[in-house]
Amino acid sequence: MPTKIEWTEETWNPTTGCTKYSEGCEHCYAASFAKRLKAMGNARYVNGFKVTVHRDLFQKPLKWVKPRRIFVDSMSDLFHDDISDEDILAIFKTMNEASWHTFQVLTKRSGRLLELSSQINWTDNIWMGVSVENQKAIYRCEDLKQTGAKVKFISAEPLLESISDINLLGIDWLIVGGESGVKSRPMDESWVIELRDLAIKNNVPFFFKQWGGFNKKANGSELQGKYYKEYPIK
């Protein structure tokens, strides 16, 4: 379905639901959204935010004729322990077959990603990313680099502290954003500037999504008088 997530055009959720994994999950937007959808009687969320596999949606992108950027599992984590290897690989097979689309996959569970990497056919249209919200999560970046993905990206959202020690060598795209909502944790401008400068130094496309906060729309995404909405060129 169409989405308001700036760096993509469509979402595809062959699985839904997740469990909290690290500090970045504390105010999970997907968990809140799933609760609302269940209350509205949406059949896909009868289980709320419990991990649920929707095999009838596995081949849905094959029916979309127009090429588009598709965020895979915006309401889940494809590499969650409750999703079988077979289902994960079947979902990637659809990505291989739907070669006219670009698929953007994002996970916090980089260990399992690395374990399955050798079984995945990493076609050029699959962009693989990991979330890195703080210093403790930087290891995910290093796990990602060991996979066979042709396009590798980092999503530093919500950015909870400085991660200026991150090594962008081998990374093709960097997304940065602050947390939004009533209980959102603040993001310091210096943390964003550090990452922008690091991206420029390493010639990595930089996408600054938002400052976040209670009113994320009003706070916008301007950084030192400029908007950064860059994408990898592959």
Side-chain angles (χ1 to χ4, degrees):
M1 62 182 294
T3 177
K4 293 181 180 179
I5 301 171
E6 283 188 64
W7 45 263
T8 195
E9 296 171 325
E10 194 91 26
T11 58
W12 169 44
N13 283 286
T15 74
T16 54
C18 199
T19 51
K20 292 185 178 181
Y21 189 74
S22 63
E23 286 86 345
C25 302
E26 187 173 335
H27 301 141
C28 177
Y29 77 89
S32 300
F33 194 28
K35 184 178 181 180
R36 197 182 324 154
L37 290 169
K38 180 180 180 180
M40 292 167 59
N42 188 307
R44 297 287 177 191
Y45 295 89
V46 66
N47 296 326
F49 206 50
K50 181 180 178 181
V51 174
T52 305
V53 178
H54 306 276
R55 294 188 181 88
D56 61 312
L57 297 181
F58 276 20
Q59 296 193 320
K60 187 175 181 180
L62 295 171
K63 300 176 182 178
W64 295 334
V65 177
K66 182 182 177 181
R68 61 196 80 180
R69 286 191 303 271
I70 301 169
F71 180 20
V72 183
D73 274 356
S74 63
M75 295 293 290
S76 185
D77 187 325
L78 185 55
F79 291 91
H80 194 285
D81 286 344
D82 291 343
I83 303 170
S84 71
D85 290 359
E86 291 74 20
D87 283 336
I88 293 171
L89 295 174
I91 290 166
F92 271 98
K93 187 173 185 292
T94 293
M95 297 184 221
N96 300 145
E97 294 172 354
S99 58
W100 57 96
H101 297 310
T102 296
F103 293 92
Q104 299 159 307
V105 187
L106 185 61
T107 186
K108 288 184 174 69
R109 293 164 171 83
S110 60
R112 186 155 188 226
L113 161 65
L114 187 54
E115 288 173 6
L116 286 176
S117 177
S118 63
Q119 299 180 57
I120 295 170
N121 178 15
W122 290 107
T123 44
D124 291 346
N125 65 321
I126 299 172
W127 297 4
M128 188 66 231
V130 293
S131 298
V132 180
E133 68 267 34
N134 56 18
Q135 287 281 336
K136 285 197 291 185
I138 287 178
Y139 74 91
R140 297 174 193 156
C141 177
E142 299 308 312
D143 285 347
L144 174 64
K145 291 177 186 179
Q146 297 180 62
T147 71
K150 302 295 195 303
V151 177
K152 303 176 178 71
F153 72 95
I154 303 298
S155 174
E157 184 189 7
L159 183 59
L160 302 178
E161 65 181 8
S162 170
I163 56 169
S164 61
D165 291 340
I166 197 166
N167 182 353
L168 296 183
L169 187 64
I171 298 301
D172 302 290
W173 192 28
L174 175 61
I175 302 169
V176 177
E179 191 170 53
S180 60
V182 179
K183 298 179 180 179
S184 57
R185 291 161 285 184
M187 178 176 65
D188 195 277
E189 182 181 33
S190 66
W191 307 341
V192 183
I193 292 171
E194 288 171 345
L195 291 179
R196 179 205 58 190
D197 293 349
L198 197 60
I200 291 172
K201 181 180 178 181
N202 287 273
N203 199 30
V204 174
F206 180 71
F207 193 107
F208 182 46
K209 184 173 173 243
Q210 63 183 29
W211 287 107
F214 176 66
N215 190 341
K216 67 176 183 180
K217 187 174 181 180
N219 291 334
S221 61
E222 187 176 346
L223 174 62
Q224 294 187 320
K226 185 176 178 179
Y227 294 95
Y228 295 86
K229 307 293 179 184
E230 300 170 352
Y231 289 87
I233 301 173
K234 292 288 178 178

